Amino acid sequence: MNRLIIAIIVLFVSYSCSKKDDLEPAPASAMHTVLVYMSGENSLTNDYENPNESYLADDLEEMKQGSYLLSKDQRLIAFIDSVGTNNTPHIVEIANGKVTEVYRFDSDFYASDPEIFREIVKWTIDHYPSENYSLVLWGHATGWTVTNDTIASARKLNRAYGQDKGWDNSGSEKWMNITQLAKALEGLPKFKYILADCCCFMCVESAYELRNVADYLIGSPAEIPGEGAPYHILLPKLFSQSATFYKEICDTYYDFFMEAYQMPPYTDKSSNSYLIGYSVPLSAIDLSKMEDLAKATNQVLKSFATNNPEELDLAYLPYYFGYDYPIMYDIKSVIQKYAPPTDYSQWLSAYNKAVVYSLVSRRWMTIYSLIRNRFKLFPTDETTYGCISMFFPQTKYDRSYFKYNARIKNLQWYYAVDWSNYGW
């Protein structure tokens, strides 16, 4: 009897996420499986300015179009959490222009819950055997800015990835911290890459947290347009076998918006005219080099970082995000300005090995006038931009409602570069 109970428990745990018929044969092993994690119970599904539009629906339609370009051994899987109590979270396979539901949950939950996130990723890996796996993080994000190492809530003013408004279960807004996201992926097969189709993800703090769960991290250090990646033309690049596949992904993404910003509806709105001739800053990081970059950054800071209450003058340097104060400054621009030439050269060598590709855009679509109004003050020399951000403590951040100087201590990067050595 005890053996029967144990067997039932094991079966339930193994398939708690699955409604597939146990008698169905498992799919043949593929060369590459890409999971798009669409955390969309937010404005990306319910656009308040355009209530009849949905970025999530548009991107799914693009994936359907792009799937015609995929081969049989290239699998595209999407987890979808949108809006509507009659539309519970579900998992689909997209192939040959069709979306096939392979699993639907019985009730709603927070897509930002790291345990559920891990379960969905693991379910995909278990049910779709593949030589390679990659992950696309689709949704809202705000980089590294977190407080406690737990599920983030709006009440505690946390941010990171996967905003879930909790509309369908009458809950509060929650996000997933980068620290939790990294832990959720530990022990699973390492991803070929993680593509962050969300804002502000390309910061050294997040990359360092994720250094052991993927080979590459790709995305933007700044805000991205609401419509996100152009999946109808990007999908083949997501499955590219080229050694520089990350370049193909970045180029396709960048070129699409460079062209789009010169056509309606962008040219029809005078408020968006500042985008003409620009795109989205993008970069790719070889995560295996993040330890070396941390050591090099630790060393180069010793050549110029001052002690509290003195701080670096960051005026007129490019930054990628900011609520009440500018934060997430371009790491290359700051270190190039302050490090002695020999020290900078040594640091740059490590940086170039880690940041294997970048595309500069000195302007991008932003909802923050704080950022948009300062574009004209940013350096015109694009060689100073690295398209990766880093947090540099400032005394004024102690006055911030978001307490950036305290939050940074939740990230491993803070200790790797030893900010405490300078009074922070």
Side-chain angles (χ1 to χ4, degrees):
M1 184 65 177
N2 288 339
R3 290 182 178 178
L4 178 60
I5 293 173
I6 292 173
I8 292 173
I9 292 173
V10 170
L11 184 64
F12 176 78
V13 171
S14 298
Y15 291 91
S16 61
C17 201
S18 171
K19 281 188 177 178
K20 283 198 148 191
D21 190 334
D22 291 340
L23 298 179
E24 273 188 34
S29 180
M31 180 178 296
H32 195 172
T33 296
V34 175
L35 169 63
V36 184
Y37 195 86
M38 306 185 79
S39 183
E41 196 168 322
N42 49 52
S43 62
L44 296 175
T45 297
N46 186 12
D47 189 326
Y48 295 112
E49 294 182 358
N50 303 289
N52 295 323
E53 295 182 7
S54 167
Y55 293 127
L56 187 148
D58 290 346
D59 277 354
L60 281 174
E61 184 60 35
E62 289 180 355
M63 291 179 201
K64 287 170 59 178
Q65 296 176 32
S67 68
Y68 284 113
L69 304 175
L70 303 183
S71 64
K72 291 183 179 179
D73 60 357
Q74 298 171 333
R75 290 207 185 95
L76 178 62
I77 310 298
F79 161 75
I80 304 168
D81 181 24
S82 61
V83 177
T85 54
N86 294 323
N87 185 22
T88 56
H90 51 286
I91 302 172
V92 301
E93 182 173 0
I94 306 172
N96 298 316
K98 296 181 180 179
V99 177
T100 303
E101 183 177 304
V102 295
Y103 177 76
R104 181 172 290 272
F105 293 87
D106 294 328
S107 59
D108 192 64
F109 50 79
Y110 283 105
S112 54
D113 186 320
E115 293 184 3
I116 292 176
F117 170 73
R118 177 184 175 86
E119 184 179 6
I120 291 167
V121 173
K122 188 175 185 303
W123 185 92
T124 302
I125 292 172
D126 290 344
H127 285 75
Y128 291 92
S130 182
E131 294 180 22
N132 297 286
Y133 294 96
S134 295
L135 176 65
V136 177
L137 298 174
W138 186 103
H140 284 306
T142 55
W144 61 266
T145 49
V146 301
T147 53
N148 298 320
D149 190 16
T150 184
I151 302 174
S153 68
R155 182 175 60 83
K156 294 183 179 180
L157 300 172
N158 293 344
R159 296 291 186 270
Y161 164 70
Q163 179 196 42
D164 189 323
K165 287 281 192 177
W167 288 328
D168 293 341
N169 58 11
S170 300
S172 60
E173 175 184 330
K174 294 185 179 181
W175 301 62
M176 186 183 346
N177 293 341
I178 296 301
T179 50
Q180 283 284 345
L181 191 154
K183 288 180 180 178
L185 298 176
E186 287 181 359
L188 299 177
K190 182 179 284 190
F191 292 106
K192 179 178 180 179
Y193 65 81
I194 295 175
L195 168 63
D197 192 18
C198 46
C199 298
C200 304
F201 215 90
M202 299 306 286
C203 52
V204 288
E205 293 84 4
S206 293
Y208 195 70
E209 293 290 327
L210 295 168
R211 66 192 184 281
N212 296 319
V213 300
D215 293 330
Y216 291 88
L217 181 64
I218 308 167
S220 175
E223 295 160 84
I224 66 169
E227 53 263 52
Y231 289 99
H232 58 299
I233 57 175
L234 186 65
L235 276 189
K237 313 302 180 184
L238 297 184
F239 291 89
S240 172
Q241 297 182 56
S242 167
T244 56
F245 67 91
Y246 47 81
K247 182 179 184 296
E248 297 177 28
I249 293 173
C250 290
D251 286 346
T252 302
Y253 201 131
Y254 186 92
D255 291 346
F256 175 83
F257 282 104
M258 177 67 77
E259 181 179 349
Y261 286 162
Q262 301 183 62
M263 299 185 297
Y266 301 102
T267 53
D268 295 340
K269 299 179 181 179
S270 59
S271 60
N272 286 330
S273 61
Y274 72 94
L275 292 171
I276 297 175
Y278 295 93
S279 181
V280 182
L282 294 164
S283 53
I285 296 176
D286 180 345
L287 293 174
S288 70
K289 306 299 183 183
M290 283 305 299
E291 290 281 8
D292 292 339
L293 180 59
K295 292 177 182 177
T297 305
N298 180 304
Q299 189 64 34
V300 79
L301 284 176
K302 295 176 182 178
S303 70
F304 66 84
T306 55
N307 292 325
N308 190 38
E310 297 180 14
E311 61 191 12
L312 299 176
D313 179 6
L314 301 178
Y316 306 111
L317 291 175
Y319 65 90
Y320 296 104
F321 200 57
Y323 290 118
D324 47 356
Y325 294 103
I327 56 173
M328 299 184 186
Y329 281 84
D330 188 280
I331 181 176
K332 183 180 176 184
S333 295
V334 176
I335 293 180
Q336 184 181 46
K337 177 178 179 179
Y338 284 104
T342 300
D343 296 282
Y344 174 71
S345 179
Q346 292 176 350
W347 175 85
L348 186 61
S349 177
Y351 179 83
N352 287 336
K353 291 176 182 177
V355 183
V356 291
Y357 194 61
S358 63
L359 290 167
V360 177
S361 181
R362 291 189 292 108
R363 296 183 181 183
W364 54 87
M365 181 175 286
T366 175
I367 64 173
Y368 296 98
S369 58
L370 173 70
I371 300 174
R372 186 167 58 249
N373 293 339
R374 298 195 185 187
F375 282 149
K376 61 181 178 292
L377 302 177
F378 288 174
T380 57
D381 182 2
E382 294 189 350
T383 63
T384 67
Y385 292 76
C387 296
I388 300 291
S389 74
M390 177 176 166
F391 177 75
F392 293 87
Q394 301 270 282
T395 54
K396 63 186 177 184
Y397 294 154
D398 289 330
R399 302 190 298 271
S400 168
Y401 192 53
F402 300 99
K403 304 299 181 185
Y404 300 116
N405 290 334
R407 289 187 177 197
I408 193 64
K409 295 179 182 179
N410 289 286
L411 281 297
Q412 296 179 55
W413 181 263
Y414 169 88
Y415 302 96
V417 301
D418 198 11
W419 274 122
S420 64
N421 188 47
Y422 309 102
W424 301 106

